[in-house]
Amino acid sequence: MATLNNPFRTSILNHKTQQNSKITTLRTTRFVFITAKSSTTTSSVKQLIETGTIRTIWPKDASTAMNSDGFILLDVRPRWEREKAHVTGSLHVPMFVEDTDNSAITLLKKWVHFGYIGLWTGQYLTTFNPEFLSQVEMAIPGKDTKLLVACGEGLRSMTAASKLYNGGFRNLGWLAGGFNRSKDDDFAVVEGKEKLQYATVGGASYYFLQLLILLQAVGK
């Protein structure tokens, strides 16, 4: 069989090469477009805070932000921390909930967690609350509502603020340092058996804290 080696064959090969090049370019362009689109919808919470897109509010200024600027305090701590102490009138939607899965893997994680973390801090093994965003949406009148997002140390509230921002909320504040950095008179009314700044402390560390408080009281 004769080999097709003429200008007609060369033309066909050039056409296929150009066609493949166009397909590759189209796929590459589509990939770049999708990547760019994804990057714009996932915002860095650190950048949002540094640029002031999410407003930084310290505990000493929280009451003013709530009473004068119209912020609603959103407490994203888990249930057991909030039960110890919480600001009266604050909205509670936990960012993390207790992991109730009883599979072998989770039970092993719980055992390790109790031995290394839970025994000292009193914290349960938690998992992300999949209904967090929808629960916030159901609890407030609209996404233009001013929300001051707070937790114990300020880290979980960072994650929550980022989740809310990417969910369409634009008037957000972040309680810098969390309730742990608050003083007794930062919030008008606090409910619970513990001080708000100690509500995150639990387990063996709670008794260590009580000993320190006792020693300070004796030393005065």
Side-chain angles (χ1 to χ4, degrees):
M1 184 174 179
T3 303
L4 189 63
N5 188 15
N6 52 43
F8 180 71
R9 178 176 180 272
T10 303
S11 176
I12 292 175
L13 291 174
N14 288 338
H15 176 73
K16 286 183 177 180
T17 301
Q18 291 174 359
Q19 196 173 32
N20 290 336
S21 177
K22 288 180 180 178
I23 292 172
T24 302
T25 302
L26 179 62
R27 286 174 177 170
T28 304
T29 304
R30 184 171 179 270
F31 173 75
V32 172
F33 173 74
I34 293 173
T35 304
K37 186 176 180 183
S38 299
S39 65
T40 56
T41 55
T42 305
S43 304
S44 166
V45 66
K46 185 178 179 180
Q47 291 178 340
L48 293 172
I49 291 173
E50 288 178 348
T51 59
T53 304
I54 293 178
R55 179 177 163 186
T56 299
I57 300 174
W58 293 93
K60 64 183 179 63
D61 303 317
S63 290
T64 300
M66 294 160 60
N67 298 327
S68 301
D69 299 339
F71 276 89
I72 294 175
L73 183 62
L74 174 60
D75 187 346
V76 300
R77 296 175 300 163
R79 167 190 49 80
W80 51 91
E81 287 185 29
R82 182 175 171 83
E83 288 175 349
K84 292 180 180 179
H86 65 271
V87 178
T88 302
S90 60
L91 174 65
H92 180 230
V93 180
M95 182 70 183
F96 295 94
V97 293
E98 184 180 359
D99 192 342
T100 57
D101 180 22
N102 289 319
S103 65
I105 296 296
T106 304
L107 289 175
L108 177 60
K109 288 180 181 178
K110 288 181 178 180
W111 180 76
V112 173
H113 173 84
F114 178 77
Y116 287 93
I117 302 173
L119 182 63
W120 175 251
T121 66
Q123 294 284 355
Y124 297 97
L125 180 66
T126 60
T127 185
F128 176 73
N129 177 9
E131 306 297 325
F132 173 75
L133 187 58
S134 62
Q135 288 174 354
V136 174
E137 290 173 340
M138 290 178 61
I140 64 170
K143 291 188 176 181
D144 58 341
T145 302
K146 293 182 177 181
L147 293 176
L148 174 53
V149 190
C151 69
E153 308 88 355
L155 297 177
R156 291 167 294 182
S157 53
M158 265 191 180
T159 305
S162 178
K163 183 76 174 177
L164 291 167
Y165 184 85
N166 291 323
F169 291 86
R170 291 296 180 266
N171 293 319
L172 297 172
W174 169 61
L175 189 70
F179 293 126
N180 288 7
R181 296 288 294 272
S182 67
K183 305 298 182 183
D184 290 343
D185 57 351
D186 284 344
F187 297 94
V189 183
V190 176
E191 299 179 40
K193 60 183 180 179
E194 302 290 342
K195 286 181 177 292
L196 186 61
Q197 56 266 44
Y198 301 148
T200 305
V201 182
S205 60
Y206 173 79
Y207 297 102
F208 182 70
L209 173 65
Q210 296 301 312
L211 177 60
L212 286 179
I213 295 174
L214 176 62
L215 292 175
Q216 288 177 355
V218 172
K220 289 181 179 179

